[in-house]
Amino acid sequence: MVRFKIAEDSYEVLATNLTQDEMPLERMKDLYHLRWGIETAFRQMKYDDCSSFQHSKKKTAAIGEIILALAFHNICVCVLLLCAKKLARRHRLKHRMYVYKISYSDLADVMRFYISGRYPTITPTKIVRELEITAQPVREGRKFERFLLPHTFTAFIYRAA
């Protein structure tokens, strides 16, 4: 276990079975920083893309759901990056006090409507306009406690009717 200070009153603890000679602390911090993007992507896929529960019992169908979730996540990230560039340009032009950011969960909801085909009048321009409405200012130094809800197993018994 390696413990290092990240703020005045908080510490980060990393578990490893390597010695200090095999893995120096600075190298471990760098690897952890690189890994953080992967962890964030998995969290977004699990909760924001509604991939925490599988909808099929067969292995091939479950693998297909995972592949579709990955494809959906990649599409959402591409759209998010394009919208972020547009918001950054607008921020430079209007000299705003805060930098604005689009929430990934809002983006996933809007993209789900677009991809589902339930709203035939929705266009990419309308998507961008909808996302610009939901943009939130980024305020540095804010911290909130995580609100975790327990998830229980959902059995397939409802299909036995």
Side-chain angles (χ1 to χ4, degrees):
M1 301 281 256
V2 177
R3 183 175 182 228
F4 56 91
K5 198 173 194 174
I6 58 172
E8 184 65 33
D9 58 345
S10 69
Y11 291 86
E12 189 76 34
V13 178
L14 302 177
T16 182
N17 58 356
L18 300 172
T19 65
Q20 180 72 24
D21 297 332
E22 293 173 324
M23 181 65 67
L25 181 61
E26 289 304 316
R27 176 78 175 130
M28 189 179 290
K29 286 181 184 179
D30 292 340
L31 289 175
Y32 184 74
H33 178 71
L34 292 174
R35 174 83 182 160
W36 189 247
I38 297 168
E39 295 296 332
T40 304
F42 278 131
R43 184 190 55 76
Q44 289 171 338
M45 283 178 50
K46 186 174 180 181
Y47 296 111
D48 298 333
D49 296 344
C50 302
S51 301
S52 59
F53 296 106
Q54 298 297 320
H55 301 93
S56 57
K57 291 174 87 173
K58 294 186 178 182
K59 182 180 178 180
T60 54
I63 291 170
E65 282 188 45
I66 293 168
I67 291 170
L68 285 174
L70 285 168
F72 180 74
H73 176 74
N74 287 337
I75 290 169
C76 287
V77 168
C78 289
V79 172
L80 189 66
L81 290 174
L82 291 173
C83 289
K85 285 181 185 176
K86 186 174 182 180
L87 284 175
R89 264 187 268 130
R90 181 173 294 152
H91 173 72
R92 283 191 301 268
L93 293 175
K94 292 189 176 184
H95 305 293
R96 291 187 172 173
M97 183 175 172
Y98 294 113
V99 174
Y100 280 74
K101 172 182 156 182
I102 295 171
S103 166
Y104 181 86
S105 57
D106 292 339
L107 170 73
D109 290 341
V110 171
M111 290 301 293
R112 215 173 284 115
F113 283 132
Y114 178 68
I115 291 173
S116 70
R118 289 181 283 180
Y119 298 94
T121 60
I122 197 164
T123 62
T125 307
K126 288 182 181 179
I127 289 173
V128 171
R129 194 174 311 130
E130 182 75 26
L131 290 173
E132 287 174 350
I133 292 170
T134 64
Q136 298 287 323
V138 177
R139 295 181 177 101
E140 296 296 326
R142 290 184 135 195
K143 290 185 180 180
F144 297 100
E145 292 291 322
R146 289 181 63 194
F147 183 68
L148 299 175
L149 294 174
H151 288 283
T152 59
F153 175 73
T154 305
F156 290 105
I157 194 69
Y158 65 89
R159 293 184 183 178

